[in-house]
Amino acid sequence: VDQHHLIEDTGIALGQLFAKALGNCAGINRTGCFIYPMDESLLQAAVDFGGRPFCVCNAQLTNIPLVSINSGKESSFQTDCFEDFWQGFANGAKCNIHLDTIRGRSDHHKMEGLFKAAARAIRSAVEIDPRRGGEIPSTKGVI
């Protein structure tokens, strides 16, 4: 329909896939965090697949659309959709995620670095922890 809804719905769908793949989260680490350097930017992501969706996005973007020209055709990306993607992901995955720009100048580098930091944090959170013995990572025994 439009850029905003396409990006938000993509985040929701991807999050739902994570929730389905993780099931009851038995054996996973559950939480993960990562600090990622991207040129002049330093970005941080932390995630908890604990069943309570929440997104804190402190990307410090300028909200100026990113414009690219390919084969003489101009297109733009509305940077405010970045947070909408991650809010959708958090809702779909039933996780809480925190994305922070520690420092940076370029919106492109901030967004790229935050995606990479989030990917590493998510990978750490969903990895199987052999010390758990397949148990659900919650004191309540359920997520």
Side-chain angles (χ1 to χ4, degrees):
V1 174
D2 58 52
Q3 191 175 109
H4 165 84
H5 288 96
L6 175 64
I7 291 169
E8 180 181 39
D9 289 351
T10 301
I12 293 168
L14 184 61
Q16 289 172 339
L17 290 171
F18 266 84
K20 186 175 181 177
L22 292 172
N24 66 4
C25 297
I28 67 168
N29 288 322
R30 182 177 150 173
T31 61
C33 62
F34 202 83
I35 296 176
Y36 196 91
M38 171 61 68
D39 296 339
E40 85 294 343
S41 299
L42 188 62
L43 304 310
Q44 175 177 273
V47 64
D48 175 11
F49 284 92
R52 293 181 302 276
F54 201 83
C55 176
V56 176
C57 185
N58 182 26
Q60 300 177 23
L61 301 175
T62 64
N63 290 328
I64 298 170
L66 300 180
V67 177
S68 65
I69 300 173
N70 292 319
S71 303
K73 188 175 181 181
E74 185 177 298
S75 61
S76 67
F77 174 75
Q78 300 165 323
T79 57
D80 62 337
C81 290
F82 177 82
E83 184 171 351
D84 299 325
F85 171 87
W86 286 109
Q87 184 64 61
F89 178 84
N91 289 338
K94 298 181 183 88
C95 70
N96 64 72
I97 189 162
H98 296 256
L99 303 163
D100 295 288
T101 294
I102 297 169
R103 66 177 148 273
R105 179 195 51 80
S106 165
D107 281 354
H108 173 94
H109 292 156
K110 291 175 195 175
M111 289 186 291
E112 183 179 352
L114 284 168
F115 265 102
K116 290 178 177 183
R120 296 282 186 97
I122 291 168
R123 178 171 70 183
S124 177
V126 302
E127 284 181 335
I128 298 295
D129 181 351
R131 296 169 294 179
R132 289 200 183 278
E135 291 190 15
I136 295 172
S138 171
T139 56
K140 298 175 285 192
V142 65
I143 291 184

